[in-house]
């Protein structure tokens, strides 16, 4: 009779201890999962905010760069050609600075692919500014280079847009 009493008691106590430790593990797993989900959510929100800010500045940069050598333009006759050129270059310089500042300050918070493509876009924009500043408008290569740079800028913007979309689509917020 003694064994018939102790065996079920030992099994019951062992079962209670086992259940206690298992419930502790479950609570820890739930806490870890909630913490990871919360961190993931904040990371997504930060990254999305950066992309929104960066994209706005990239659009402004593209516009300022393409406006350096427009194919059709209405010229303000109260300004000299040099003044118009200076204004365009100053506007572009400000837009490039805005992009570069956001780009560098947030470098660790977005993907390497996006980083590389934005760096490429900044280089194209710089090349266009140099071509505009030192080029001769009466030279055919001057206009060919403007067209090439404009196409490269549009292509780069498309790549950045697609990379951002791809990055945002992959992220799931729980």
């Amino acid at each position: 009779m003694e064994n018939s009493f102790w065996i079920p008691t030992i099994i019951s106590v062992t079962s209670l201890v086992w259940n206690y430790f298992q419930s502790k593990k479950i609570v820890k797993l739930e806490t870890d999962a909630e913490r990871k989900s919360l961190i993931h959510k904040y990371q997504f929100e930060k990254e999305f905010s950066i992309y929104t800010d960066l994209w706005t500045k990239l659009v402004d940069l593209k516009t300022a760069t393409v406006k350096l050598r427009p194919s059709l333009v209405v010229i303000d006759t109260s300004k000299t050609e040099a003044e118009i050129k200076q204004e365009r270059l100053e506007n572009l310089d400000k837009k490039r600075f805005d992009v570069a500042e956001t780009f560098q300050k947030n470098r660790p918070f977005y993907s390497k692919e996006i980083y590389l493509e934005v760096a490429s876009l900044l280089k194209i924009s710089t090349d266009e500014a140099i071509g505009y500043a030192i080029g001769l408008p009466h030279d055919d290569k001057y206009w060919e280079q403007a067209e090439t740079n404009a196409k490269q800028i549009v292509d780069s913007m498309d790549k950045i847009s697609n990379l951002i979309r791809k990055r945002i689509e992959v992220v799931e917020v729980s």
Side-chain angles (χ1 to χ4, degrees):
M1 173 147 165
E2 198 170 295
N3 283 342
S4 65
F5 171 75
W6 286 108
I7 291 175
T9 304
I10 291 173
I11 291 174
S12 293
V13 170
T14 305
S15 181
L16 283 172
V17 170
W18 173 259
N19 286 339
Y20 173 77
F21 284 115
Q22 292 305 314
S23 67
K24 286 290 200 182
K25 284 183 182 179
I26 290 170
V27 168
K28 183 182 181 326
L29 289 173
E30 287 174 348
T31 304
D32 289 346
E34 287 173 7
R35 184 176 67 243
K36 286 178 184 176
S37 176
L38 185 61
I39 290 169
H40 192 68
K41 179 182 175 204
Y42 286 135
Q43 179 183 358
F44 174 79
E45 288 173 358
K46 175 69 174 171
E47 197 170 337
F48 189 82
S49 171
I50 290 167
Y51 290 145
T52 302
D53 183 43
L54 182 64
W55 183 254
T56 300
K57 291 176 180 177
L58 287 171
V59 169
D60 292 343
L61 174 65
K62 177 189 110 181
T63 302
T65 305
V66 172
K67 280 185 176 181
L68 288 179
R69 300 190 258 194
S71 52
L72 294 174
V73 65
V74 176
I75 296 176
D76 184 355
T77 56
S78 67
K79 296 179 183 173
T80 67
E81 199 171 307
E83 288 174 328
I84 293 170
K85 186 179 243 185
Q86 185 64 30
E87 280 180 10
R88 288 178 182 171
L89 287 169
E90 285 174 359
N91 183 44
L92 177 62
D93 192 48
K94 182 187 179 319
K95 302 302 181 188
R96 274 196 348 245
F97 177 79
D98 290 346
V99 169
E101 183 179 39
T102 297
F103 174 63
Q104 290 300 331
K105 285 183 177 178
N106 294 296
R107 181 178 179 178
F109 303 108
Y110 50 84
S111 74
K112 185 176 181 179
E113 293 85 9
I114 292 171
Y115 177 84
L116 294 173
E117 195 57 44
V118 172
S120 173
L121 179 62
L122 283 168
K123 184 185 178 321
I124 297 165
S125 178
T126 301
D127 292 346
E128 174 62 7
I130 292 168
Y132 174 68
I134 65 172
L136 300 172
H138 305 294
D139 185 4
D140 286 341
K141 288 185 180 185
Y142 175 86
W143 294 107
E144 288 172 11
Q145 189 60 45
E147 189 176 323
T148 300
N149 287 340
K151 183 179 178 341
Q152 287 178 341
I153 288 168
V154 170
D155 290 347
S156 184
M157 291 286 289
D158 287 344
K159 284 181 188 175
I160 293 167
S161 174
N162 290 335
L163 287 168
I164 290 172
R165 276 194 190 113
K166 182 178 170 185
R167 180 76 181 150
I168 290 171
E169 288 172 356
V170 169
V171 177
E172 294 178 11
V173 180
S174 302

